[in-house]
Structures are given as structure tokens and as C-alpha cells.
Amino acid sequence: MRAVDFVVETTKRYVEQMPKSQRKKYGQFFTSRETAAFMAGLLDLPENKKIISVLDPGAGSGILTAAVVDRLQNIPSVETICLVCYENNGDVIELLESNLEEIKRHSSKEIVYEVKRENYILSQEETYNGTFSAELNPKTYDIVIANPPYIKLPKLAPEAMAMQDVCYGAPNLYFLFAEMSAFNLMENGEMVYIVPRSWTSGAYFKKFRNKFFKEVVLENIHLFESRDRVFEIESVLQETMIFKARKTSQKPETVRITTTKTSSDFEDRTVYQAPYETVINGEENYVYLVTNEMEAGVLQKMNGWKNTLPKIGLKMKTGLTVDFRNRDALCDSAENGAVPLFYAQHIQEGKVVFPIGKENEFLSTSQTGLLQKNTNYLFVKRFTAKEEHRRLQCGVYLAKKNPEYNRISTQNKINFITGIRELSECTVYGLYVLFNSTFYDIYYRILNGSTQVNSTEVNSMPVPSIDVIESMGKSLLKTHDMSEASCDRILEKYL
């Protein structure tokens, strides 16, 4: 039996007797057999080294470590495998140690292992921040492989304070693990991680991306079309990806990007070699998840525009009212000076329809922070289902449709685009052409793998000049055809 098969079986027994709520405290979700083998298979292992050092910084039961050991069995030059496994969850340490002992017993190579019952981040805080003397260098490894814990931390958590150079706001523990692993790699060493896709864009991860890509280069990315089949042993809905990075300053020409529907069909995967500069681009170091030539072409065309919404006096903002926090201000009619409160349900076939007979579609409040001028906007849904045809779903809002109101409000599950000056109808319709086009929807999906439309990313996306946007709006007003195909035909004239 392969080492990974043995560890998967013992892990299943552990999961059955350990409540998920208990494991969730540690952000612990166990990797499937197929995923572990695929991750280990990404390693471009050295053929001439007798001793290979492996770090698993969030070892759990040792599934990933076992997969690497299985892989190393087939390399004749390797004589000794040195394993270091960090795990500070006392519930699983006994299982980890017994699994490592079993791996050692059945390995054709010499296995030397150490289990560190420490917090991976805090145990290296002084070394990471350079407060130790120069001769006390960090231990480095040929290979780091990890399924790190996924836990959002308070911004003053000890781990966040230990790595302030990559933190902005409240960080997630998984990307602190990734940065520390890059720190622990020897030159030309490789790291393979399975993580959420959220780090590839957005302001919260900018400091991390900027430092990370000064230390390593991406060589492989793997994406899953399905959210619910990545962790075979678990029941987890998570947008995840696998990446392999190498510690070197030499950027490769391409990044190999593969895609499968689930974690159990890695053999049936699409493969695309994307230019490195296409995948990692711009001042923000966003990672563009390009999976084919068509998507690469969309990126190339869109990136020809050098403007962004803020550069042309526009900006996407998030809706102002969190309805469940303002229940006392919600009402069903325009009584006592109440104003319209717009929800995602009001966006219908490219237009904003109001009222629709929905509960709580009015707001009665004197809080100025919940109110905005009744002027023209483009409303964009913040949340869509992964399976929906479009990620960007928008509607034109015209103030003249509700002339009796000076103020309106927007629920925080929609975004709205506004400007320094009041938007003309042509501008709003032109923005609709842009956001309702196939091209812009594809661009956003490449940029952000989640189902949430974030204003930070949208405000960084390329747009044409305000004159072009107004011209597109005039074209749409002539046709009155709000369809995606109509928007594509108009936009193609300006690409």
C-alpha cells in the first residue's frame, strides 16, 4: 500500500470520530488522496541529490507528506528523506506521529522525521523579522507542501503582528503560511500549496503579493470548476486553487494552468501555457487566471485601455444600507418621508424596476450615511451563484423614474457606479454596455475567482475614455436592445 493510501484511511477514521466544529477551530480540512498525489506530482524534483528535505507546515494527519514520500520513492539518487512537520492541534498529533512511523517503516528510503508541536508562524517570528543575529539563519528546505489552515485573524492577532510586512487589515492565516514558506525555501526550492483563490486580487492581499513575487515565481496553477468536490473527506464549499512556486528571480516564459471539474478527475484536465507576464501583471501584482487563448485575447484587448473608473471621474461603491442592522428603519411603503431602498431583486433585464412589492423596500431614516442623492447610477449585483451564466449583472437606474424623491438608499448587496459630477443618461447606458458585455464579464472572472463582485477590483479594471463610454451609450439608446449580444456588438467597434 502506498503511504498516502494508508494515511487517508487512518484520517477517515479520525474525521468520523472528531466533530467538524472541533476541527474548524484550527481551520483544518483534510486533503483528498487524489489532490495530494496531484500536488506531489507537480514537483520538479532534483535528480542528483542524495538528501531531500521536506517541510509540511500544517501537517494535520500527514497526507501531503505521505504523497511526497511516495513520489520520492521513484528517484534512484535519493537516499534519505528528511521530514519536518508542524502541527499544534493536540487532537491530531498522535495520529500524525503514528502515520509518520508507519511511513518510515515501509519506505525504501531512509526516513528521518521531526514533529514540531509549535505555532508555525510564531515559532519563527524573530528569525523572519531579522531580530536574531546573522549567524542564526532560518532552516531552509528543498520542498514545502501544504494545505494551510483557513482562518481569518483579527488585525492585532499575534500571527498578524509577527508578519506586519504582508498584512493589511484582518489577514487570513493561509497567506501568512504561504509567505513564511517562501521564507523557508532554499534557493531553487519548490513549494506547492492548496489555498482559497481570494489572494489573487484585492487590496487585502496586495502587500502579500508584492513581497511573495519578489521571492518566488509561479510555475503551475490548477483550478477547480466545482467547489464541493475538492476535499474528498470533508463537506466543504470553498473556491480553491493549487499553485506551485519556485524560489528564484528567473521568471519563466509561461505558467502552466490546468483545470478540472473536481478533485477526482485530474487525468481529464485542460492545459494552457499562459505567458508569465499575462498571468502576473500590473502594479497590484494581480494573478489573472487565464485558462485558454480566448481569455488571453480578452485580456490583451482590454488591457489596451489605460484608464480606470477613478481616472475618468467615476467610481464603484458598495451599497450603503446593511438591512439587518437597520431593521427599525425598514418599511413597506413611502410613509413618514421614507425613501426607496434598492436591492439586487430590483435589477431586472438591464433595468432597475421599482417598486416590485417586496417587503422592506423603503427606508425611513435621518442617518445621512445611509442616504445618497437620487441621481443616475449603474447598479451591479455584488453576489451571484457560481453556476450563473454571468458574474457581472447590472441595471440602469435613472433618477427621472422616481422624481418625487431627493434621496434614495442601496442595500449593501449591490454596488453602484457614481461620478464626481452627475452621470448623464448616455454615460450610464455606456457603462451598461461595458459591464453587460461578454468581454468585461470574462475579464472579471479571470481577475476574481469568487462569486462576489468587489468594488476594489472593478475600480482597477481598464475602461475606455468617458467620450467612448458616452458614445457607446448613444448607440445603445438607438437600439433599445439591452441584451448581452447587443452590448458585444457595440463594444467590439471600440476594441
Side-chain angles (χ1 to χ4, degrees):
M1 179 183 287
R2 295 181 307 163
V4 71
D5 294 327
F6 173 82
V7 175
V8 165
E9 291 306 313
T10 62
T11 303
K12 283 182 177 179
R13 292 195 291 270
Y14 168 82
V15 168
E16 288 168 0
Q17 57 87 31
M18 182 59 64
K20 185 177 178 180
S21 59
Q22 181 73 12
R23 292 181 286 110
K24 197 172 181 179
K25 293 178 183 178
Y26 294 88
Q28 187 177 69
F29 302 105
F30 293 105
T31 319
S32 72
R33 174 192 286 102
E34 292 85 0
T35 301
F38 176 78
M39 290 172 67
L42 291 175
L43 295 165
D44 184 19
L45 299 168
E47 297 285 346
N48 57 353
K49 294 192 73 169
K50 293 183 178 181
I51 301 174
I52 297 289
S53 55
V54 181
L55 169 65
D56 188 341
S61 61
I63 292 173
L64 289 174
T65 295
V68 174
V69 170
D70 282 339
R71 177 84 195 280
L72 291 172
Q73 301 297 311
N74 300 319
I75 300 181
S77 62
V78 174
E79 297 176 0
T80 303
I81 305 169
C82 298
L83 307 173
V84 174
C85 296
Y86 277 83
E87 184 53 62
N88 64 344
N89 178 357
D91 294 329
V92 78
I93 283 177
E94 184 178 343
L95 173 62
L96 172 62
E97 290 180 331
S98 66
N99 284 341
L100 289 173
E101 192 57 37
E102 189 71 14
I103 291 169
K104 178 179 180 179
R105 186 178 303 119
H106 292 93
S107 173
S108 62
K109 313 288 185 180
E110 179 186 12
I111 300 286
V112 179
Y113 71 83
E114 178 183 7
V115 175
K116 289 184 175 286
R117 304 185 178 207
E118 302 172 83
N119 182 304
Y120 173 58
I121 302 299
L122 297 183
S123 67
Q124 300 188 94
E125 177 179 2
E126 291 182 306
T127 311
Y128 178 80
N129 288 300
T131 51
F132 272 174
S133 59
E135 61 268 17
L136 292 175
N137 292 319
K139 181 173 175 57
T140 57
Y141 301 83
D142 296 294
I143 295 166
V144 182
I145 191 164
N147 174 7
Y150 308 163
I151 302 175
K152 191 170 184 178
L153 301 173
K155 63 181 179 180
L156 297 179
E159 292 87 353
M161 298 304 292
M163 301 183 71
Q164 294 182 61
D165 59 337
V166 293
C167 291
Y168 172 83
N172 197 300
L173 192 55
Y174 81 80
F175 79 79
L176 299 185
F177 265 61
E179 171 54 33
M180 189 65 82
S181 292
F183 176 70
N184 286 145
L185 272 181
M186 64 178 58
E187 186 65 21
N188 212 41
E190 301 169 80
M191 61 184 288
V192 181
Y193 259 64
I194 180 168
V195 291
R197 290 169 62 158
S198 50
W199 70 279
T200 60
S201 62
Y204 279 99
F205 303 93
K206 180 180 177 179
K207 291 175 72 175
F208 161 67
R209 288 192 305 270
N210 286 348
K211 184 172 185 188
F212 192 65
F213 289 131
K214 287 178 182 176
E215 299 171 324
V216 301
V217 299
L218 283 182
E219 293 186 337
N220 295 77
I221 293 174
H222 183 81
L223 306 173
F224 299 96
E225 291 182 18
S226 173
R227 288 191 299 166
D228 58 355
R229 295 288 302 279
V230 178
F231 296 97
E232 176 192 76
I233 302 171
E234 307 279 9
S235 177
V236 179
L237 280 177
Q238 179 64 261
E239 294 280 357
T240 51
M241 66 184 293
I242 294 168
F243 71 80
K244 188 191 86 166
R246 183 180 299 276
K247 192 160 188 174
T248 178
S249 59
Q250 300 298 313
K251 293 180 181 178
E253 291 185 4
T254 62
V255 180
R256 181 182 171 90
I257 301 178
T258 55
T259 307
T260 56
K261 294 186 183 301
T262 70
S263 66
S264 59
D265 57 359
F266 285 104
E267 296 303 315
D268 183 22
R269 61 183 182 267
T270 62
V271 180
Y272 179 61
Q273 296 283 357
Y276 193 87
E277 300 298 338
T278 298
V279 177
I280 301 168
N281 198 295
E283 296 178 3
E284 306 285 334
N285 272 322
Y286 283 166
V287 180
Y288 292 88
L289 304 174
V290 188
T291 61
N292 54 52
E293 290 286 351
M294 181 272 290
E295 293 178 351
V298 168
L299 275 185
Q300 184 179 15
K301 287 180 178 180
M302 295 297 184
N303 286 335
W305 293 327
K306 300 307 177 185
N307 292 311
T308 61
L309 289 177
K311 285 182 180 179
I312 60 173
L314 306 177
K315 193 171 186 180
M316 176 176 276
K317 298 181 179 180
T318 300
L320 307 181
T321 298
V322 182
D323 51 347
F324 68 85
R325 292 179 182 165
N326 295 277
R327 289 192 179 95
D328 293 344
L330 303 177
C331 48
D332 297 336
S333 61
E335 58 189 27
N336 301 322
V339 302
L341 173 59
F342 291 95
Y343 295 79
Q345 295 96 315
H346 291 111
I347 300 173
Q348 298 180 11
E349 297 180 350
K351 298 179 180 179
V352 177
V353 180
F354 185 91
I356 56 174
K358 182 186 182 304
E359 285 186 344
N360 300 325
E361 62 181 347
F362 288 87
L363 186 74
S364 179
T365 182
S366 58
Q367 295 184 57
T368 57
L370 302 182
L371 299 172
Q372 60 201 86
K373 186 177 179 181
N374 183 18
T375 186
N376 298 334
Y377 299 101
L378 184 74
F379 289 167
V380 182
K381 292 182 181 181
R382 277 188 67 203
F383 299 96
T384 55
K386 182 177 176 65
E387 294 74 22
E388 289 190 72
H389 168 62
R390 292 188 57 85
R391 185 70 66 243
L392 298 177
Q393 299 183 21
C394 53
V396 170
Y397 175 77
L398 300 178
K400 69 182 184 182
K401 300 287 186 180
N402 298 289
E404 65 271 36
Y405 301 102
N406 292 321
R407 293 283 184 268
I408 62 171
S409 188
T410 43
Q411 193 220 18
N412 79 321
K413 290 185 180 177
I414 65 172
N415 296 312
F416 60 91
I417 297 179
T418 185
I420 298 173
R421 293 178 293 276
E422 185 171 324
L423 305 186
S424 69
E425 288 190 22
C426 286
T427 301
V428 177
Y429 276 96
L431 288 169
Y432 178 83
V433 170
L434 192 63
F435 279 78
N436 194 54
S437 69
T438 304
F439 305 103
Y440 222 60
D441 192 68
I442 290 171
Y443 192 105
Y444 189 80
R445 287 173 182 267
I446 295 168
L447 175 61
N448 187 316
S450 76
T451 55
Q452 180 173 333
V453 177
N454 294 313
S455 56
T456 301
E457 279 95 335
V458 171
N459 287 324
S460 72
M461 289 169 65
V463 298
S465 68
I466 193 72
D467 291 341
V468 168
I469 290 173
E470 289 177 351
S471 180
M472 292 193 301
K474 290 176 183 177
S475 297
L476 185 62
L477 283 168
K478 289 178 182 177
T479 68
H480 295 288
D481 181 353
M482 303 293 281
S483 69
E484 185 175 345
S486 171
C487 294
D488 287 346
R489 284 193 296 271
I490 293 170
L491 182 59
E492 281 176 341
K493 298 174 184 177
Y494 297 90
L495 285 174

